[in-house]
């Protein structure tokens, strides 16, 4: 085997191994990114549920406040007559 053919074979082997390693590294990074995406979605969903719960609580408190104001206005209005 000539020196040039050995060099070409060596370069081919190095490029092949580099390609295989590169593909495996990229797959691992893609899997990690997908996993992070799922975790972010779960966190986003829990924040959304918490925000909805807070909104419902705020609506309930607003209704109570309006009812109390209405009652106070009715009481003040009836005592003026």
């Amino acid at each position: 085997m000539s020196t040039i053919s050995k060099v070409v074979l060596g370069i081919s082997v190095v490029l092949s191994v580099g390609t295989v390693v590169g593909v495996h590294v990229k797959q691992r990074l893609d899997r990690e990114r997908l996993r992070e995406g799922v975790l972010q979605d779960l966190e986003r969903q829990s924040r959304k549920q918490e925000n909805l719960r807070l909104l419902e609580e705020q609506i309930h408190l607003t209704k109570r406040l309006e009812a109390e104001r209405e009652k106070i206005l009715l009481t003040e209005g009836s005592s003026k007559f």
Side-chain angles (χ1 to χ4, degrees):
M1 220 184 206
S2 69
T3 305
I4 294 176
S5 59
K6 288 179 184 177
V7 169
V8 169
L9 177 64
I11 290 173
S12 298
V13 168
V14 167
L15 288 175
S16 297
V17 169
T19 301
V20 169
V21 168
V23 167
H24 284 292
V25 168
K26 178 148 178 29
Q27 283 179 340
R28 188 177 312 126
L29 290 174
D30 288 344
R31 272 192 229 116
E32 287 176 10
R33 216 173 318 133
L34 286 172
R35 211 171 284 127
E36 288 173 5
V38 170
L39 294 176
Q40 288 174 350
D41 285 344
L42 292 174
E43 182 179 325
R44 194 175 302 123
Q45 287 175 356
S46 69
R47 279 193 315 243
K48 184 177 180 179
Q49 289 175 349
E50 178 65 17
N51 287 341
L52 287 174
R53 186 190 66 75
L54 290 173
L55 178 62
E56 289 174 5
E57 182 180 336
Q58 190 68 34
I59 289 170
H60 176 71
L61 290 173
T62 302
K63 286 180 182 178
R64 277 183 48 196
L65 178 64
E66 288 173 352
E68 288 177 15
R69 282 184 183 167
E70 185 92 13
K71 187 189 292 185
I72 291 172
L73 288 174
L74 286 176
T75 325
E76 288 177 355
S78 63
S79 64
K80 286 183 180 180
F81 289 117

